[in-house]
Amino acid sequence: MALRNITLEGDSVLRKKCREVTEVTDRIRILIDDMVETMRNADGVGLAAPQVGVLRRVVVVETEELYEMVNPVITKMEGEQYFEEACLSVPGKAGRVRRPEKVTCECLDRYGNKQVYEVEGLTAVAFCHECDHLDGTLFIDKADGIRSTENDVYEEEE
Ligand code: ZN
């Protein structure tokens, strides 16, 4: 496994739509392993492939357990929660985003087998946040206000 560089806001790779993975190969498994290591090293709860410069639909999330998802699609959303998010690609900023309380996500696992995950709370937030990355969307696009993590004052977005 290897640490990969995390792309930062302003890099166009974060604004592109990622391509589906047609076959879960060893190359994809290496990408997943590297993403997990990079996420843990940065103390993150999730990471999407474009955050390591790869335009493929691959996401990892680690809350109570580790989720490795290829071609994730959120198929069901329920309820609402309002949670302050941050992103390893947008250092120094945080902002509250409205997200569903519960989501159902269909994907392939690292062996290419179909999986269906039903998650809630922080894990649901992370699934939505990471899946947004695959379509070039960042949490700062959706947040009601953004604050610097250096202080607690919210600035209103234009
Ligand atoms: Zn992010």
Side-chain angles (χ1 to χ4, degrees):
M1 293 207 282
L3 288 178
R4 301 206 186 188
N5 289 326
I6 296 178
T7 52
L8 297 177
E9 186 196 358
D11 189 324
S12 63
V13 79
L14 290 172
R15 292 306 192 174
K16 292 182 176 151
K17 194 172 163 68
C18 295
R19 282 174 297 144
E20 286 210 345
V21 173
T22 49
E23 192 187 349
V24 186
T25 57
D26 283 344
R27 197 178 161 87
I28 295 294
R29 282 184 279 276
I30 289 167
L31 171 65
I32 290 171
D33 289 342
D34 288 354
M35 286 171 62
V36 169
E37 189 177 0
T38 303
M39 170 182 69
R40 287 175 174 166
N41 182 258
D43 282 327
V45 296
L47 200 67
Q51 292 183 276
V52 293
V54 178
L55 287 168
R56 289 300 183 132
R57 302 189 82 82
V58 176
V59 154
V60 296
V61 166
E62 189 168 41
T63 48
E64 315 89 58
E65 56 184 291
L66 176 64
Y67 300 89
E68 299 167 332
M69 297 184 277
V70 175
N71 300 338
V73 178
I74 291 172
T75 54
K76 198 175 166 194
M77 299 185 267
E78 265 181 78
E80 190 182 71
Q81 57 180 326
Y82 197 40
F83 191 86
E84 183 173 85
E85 298 183 22
C87 179
L88 295 174
S89 293
V90 191
K93 291 183 182 173
R96 289 167 300 196
V97 185
R98 281 179 212 285
R99 301 284 193 187
E101 168 60 26
K102 289 185 186 178
V103 300
T104 302
C105 186
E106 297 185 9
C107 62
L108 299 177
D109 64 18
R110 62 161 51 231
Y111 306 106
N113 296 318
K114 190 177 170 185
Q115 300 290 341
V116 180
Y117 297 121
E118 289 180 43
V119 297
E120 57 185 64
L122 172 64
T123 309
V125 170
F127 274 38
C128 293
H129 177 121
E130 301 311 332
C131 286
D132 274 355
H133 273 297
L134 304 181
D135 293 319
T137 301
L138 300 176
F139 84 95
I140 48 175
D141 306 337
K142 294 185 164 180
D144 287 343
I146 303 289
R147 71 174 177 87
S148 161
T149 50
E150 303 299 309
N151 61 57
D152 289 328
V153 181
Y154 269 86
E155 299 164 27
E156 290 308 312
E157 282 277 278
E158 301 275 312

